[in-house]
């Protein structure tokens, strides 16, 4: 009885607010966002929504869907309008959810309604992702705007302090890009997200994009280790900064399969040795002149590369990373023979450069999927 006396008035209030809110459309509330302060350095919610809309359009354009651009723009424009409703004012935990109900009431259809409701997702670890592509685009735009804006004005998380939940936002972006395998490059996404800020953040966006990329890859590395991947496997894949995060799982699977091969330790060690040699040589061109190959071992390695590298590259281009690394494993014997029998730093400049070019070609082929030297 006591609970009923408390709950009934709350439900009556909710019904009153719901009925009152539906007298105004979400679109009619857009201008009111200009009166709500978002952040003293980043302006009002109205200005923020303008940025989110621009980012949503850029993301949809990168996905190559003109119809999606219009839908994402409309959903982004209306996504925060339910903050001005009486219902969300009284029950803040319903933000987004009420926006979805009011959008349907306004006749906007499920695509827009679901996008408005879902654009806060994922709200926490293990939460579901947005149900449709429009929702994914708006959720990405909303989180990227927060990340770029806060990083752009120096509000970075420190230690256990993260008042703007930037780590959670970054993980949300990572999950959407990876689990939905979206055809979006991370760096291009961050550059597009920085563009609408104008002079609110530094005009040179490159350092900001680099810092944000580091932040994303740190979050991704921690998440992958929690999922059971070893530090070596994660380091090998993320060292190359793969821009399509949907490919990371396939690359990790390839590295794990490669590490189980008997040839793996020797090839990983050789790759590390090659990397050290190339660092000392600097600016080596991956070009080989067959007429300058003198030793039998270097001729054999070049011949093996001519046969195996195209096959491995084709498999890589098709996204079959495991097969690509297994194909390259055949090179173990000619690589071992090369280091046993050939002096890389020959006194003759043309011979030395040719041998370095051969090693550079091998290094490039072996490192397309991951930095295999991290497994040594």
């Amino acid at each position: 009885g006591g609970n009923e006396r408390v709950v009934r008035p709350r439900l009556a209030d909710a019904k009153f607010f719901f009925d009152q809110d539906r007298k105004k459309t979400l679109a009619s509330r857009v201008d009111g966002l200009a009166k709500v302060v978002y952040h003293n350095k980043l302006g009002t919610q109205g200005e923020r929504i303008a940025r989110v809309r621009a980012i949503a359009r850029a993301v949809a354009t990168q996905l190559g869907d003109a119809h999606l651009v219009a839908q994402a723009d409309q959903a982004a424009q209306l996504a925060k309008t339910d903050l001005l409703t009486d219902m969300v004012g009284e029950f803040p935990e319903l933000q987004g959810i009420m926006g979805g109900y009011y959008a349907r009431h306004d006749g906007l259809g499920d695509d827009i309604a679901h996008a408005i409701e879902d654009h806060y997702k994922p709200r926490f670890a293990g939460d579901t992702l947005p149900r449709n592509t429009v929702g994914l685009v708006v959720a990405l735009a909303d989180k990227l705007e927060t990340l770029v804006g806060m990083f752009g004005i120096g509000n970075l998380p420190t230690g256990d302090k993260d008042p703007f939940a930037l780590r959670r936002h970054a993980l949300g972006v990572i999950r959407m890009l990876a689990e939905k395998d979206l055809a979006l490059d991370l760096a291009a996404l961050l550059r597009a997200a920085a563009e609408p800020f104008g002079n609110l953040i530094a005009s040179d966006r490159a350092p900001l994009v680099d810092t944000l990329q580091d932040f994303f890859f740190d979050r991704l590395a921690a998440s992958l280790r929690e999922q059971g991947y070893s530090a070596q496997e994660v380091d090998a894949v993320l060292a190359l900064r793969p821009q399509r995060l949907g490919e990371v799982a396939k690359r990790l699977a390839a590295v794990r399969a490669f590490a189980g091969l008997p040839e793996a330790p020797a090839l990983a060690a050789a790759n590390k040795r090659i990397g050290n040699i190339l660092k000392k040589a600097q600016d080596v061109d991956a070009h080989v002149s067959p007429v300058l190959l003198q030793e039998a071992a270097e001729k054999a390695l070049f011949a093996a590369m001519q046969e195996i590298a195209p096959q491995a590259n084709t498999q890589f281009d098709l996204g079959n990373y495991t097969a690509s690394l297994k194909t390259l494993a055949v090179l173990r014997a000619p690589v071992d023979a090369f280091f046993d029998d050939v002096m890389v730093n020959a006194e003759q400049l043309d011979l030395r450069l040719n041998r370095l070019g051969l090693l550079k070609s091998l290094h490039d082929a072996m490192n397309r999927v991951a930095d295999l030297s991290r497994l040594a």
Side-chain angles (χ1 to χ4, degrees), residues 169-232:
H169 285 314
L171 280 172
V173 172
I174 288 166
R175 279 192 59 200
M176 286 185 278
L177 293 176
E179 293 177 27
K180 296 296 184 179
D181 195 14
L182 297 176
L184 296 167
D185 285 359
L186 181 60
L189 207 54
L190 293 173
R191 285 193 293 270
E195 198 61 35
F197 281 85
N199 58 10
L200 292 176
I201 58 178
S203 56
D204 182 5
R205 307 290 162 75
L208 173 61
V209 170
D210 290 343
T211 301
L212 274 165
Q213 278 205 90
D214 290 342
F215 184 68
F216 271 96
F217 282 114
D218 284 346
R219 294 293 92 218
L220 178 56
S223 174
L224 291 170
R225 288 193 293 268
E226 287 174 4
Q227 294 172 42
Y229 293 103
S230 71
Q232 280 183 311

Side-chain angles (χ1 to χ4, degrees), residues 16 38 127 141 229 263 356 368:
F16 173 76
Y38 167 58
D127 191 17
Y229 293 103
E263 299 90 348
L356 288 170
R368 289 197 77 187

Side-chain angles (χ1 to χ4, degrees), residues 12-200:
D13 288 346
K15 183 176 187 308
F16 173 76
F17 293 140
F18 185 54
D19 290 339
Q20 290 298 111
D21 287 340
R22 286 181 297 167
K23 292 176 182 178
K24 292 179 64 177
T25 63
L26 291 180
S28 71
R29 299 179 186 273
V30 170
D31 291 343
L33 292 171
K35 300 172 186 175
V36 181
V37 175
Y38 167 58
H39 190 281
N40 64 339
K41 291 184 179 179
L42 296 173
T44 65
Q45 280 285 4
E47 291 169 306
R48 178 170 188 256
I49 285 302
R51 295 192 292 268
V52 173
R53 289 178 67 186
I55 297 168
R57 290 193 299 270
V59 173
T61 301
Q62 288 182 27
L63 289 171
D65 186 334
H67 181 58
L68 179 62
V69 173
Q71 284 190 306
D73 184 48
Q74 183 181 18
Q77 182 186 34
L78 302 175
K80 304 296 183 185
T81 51
D82 69 351
L83 297 177
L84 301 178
T85 63
D86 293 336
M87 183 70 103
V88 173
E90 186 69 19
F91 305 100
E93 64 275 17
L94 294 180
Q95 57 186 289
I97 295 170
M98 295 314 303
Y101 281 115
Y102 295 143
R104 275 187 285 272
H105 179 264
D106 292 348
L108 297 179
D110 282 344
D111 282 350
I112 302 296
H114 287 159
I116 293 171
E117 182 177 343
D118 290 352
H119 84 279
Y120 290 104
K121 294 180 178 180
R123 296 171 187 253
F124 50 84
D127 191 17
T128 56
L129 298 182
R131 282 165 281 187
N132 59 33
T133 308
V134 185
L136 283 169
V137 170
V138 180
L140 283 170
D142 187 56
K143 289 170 176 56
L144 288 168
E145 194 280 340
T146 300
L147 286 157
V148 171
M150 291 304 162
F151 269 72
I153 61 173
N155 277 354
L156 281 64
T158 55
D160 60 349
K161 294 181 179 179
D162 188 8
F164 296 98
L166 301 183
R167 295 186 180 99
R168 178 167 59 79
H169 285 314
L171 280 172
V173 172
I174 288 166
R175 279 192 59 200
M176 286 185 278
L177 293 176
E179 293 177 27
K180 296 296 184 179
D181 195 14
L182 297 176
L184 296 167
D185 285 359
L186 181 60
L189 207 54
L190 293 173
R191 285 193 293 270
E195 198 61 35
F197 281 85
N199 58 10
L200 292 176

Side-chain angles (χ1 to χ4, degrees), residues 67 119 146-147 168 222 264 330 345 347 349 358 364 373:
H67 181 58
H119 84 279
T146 300
L147 286 157
R168 178 167 59 79
V330 178
N345 290 317
E347 289 187 13
L349 179 62
L358 179 58
D364 290 347
S373 65

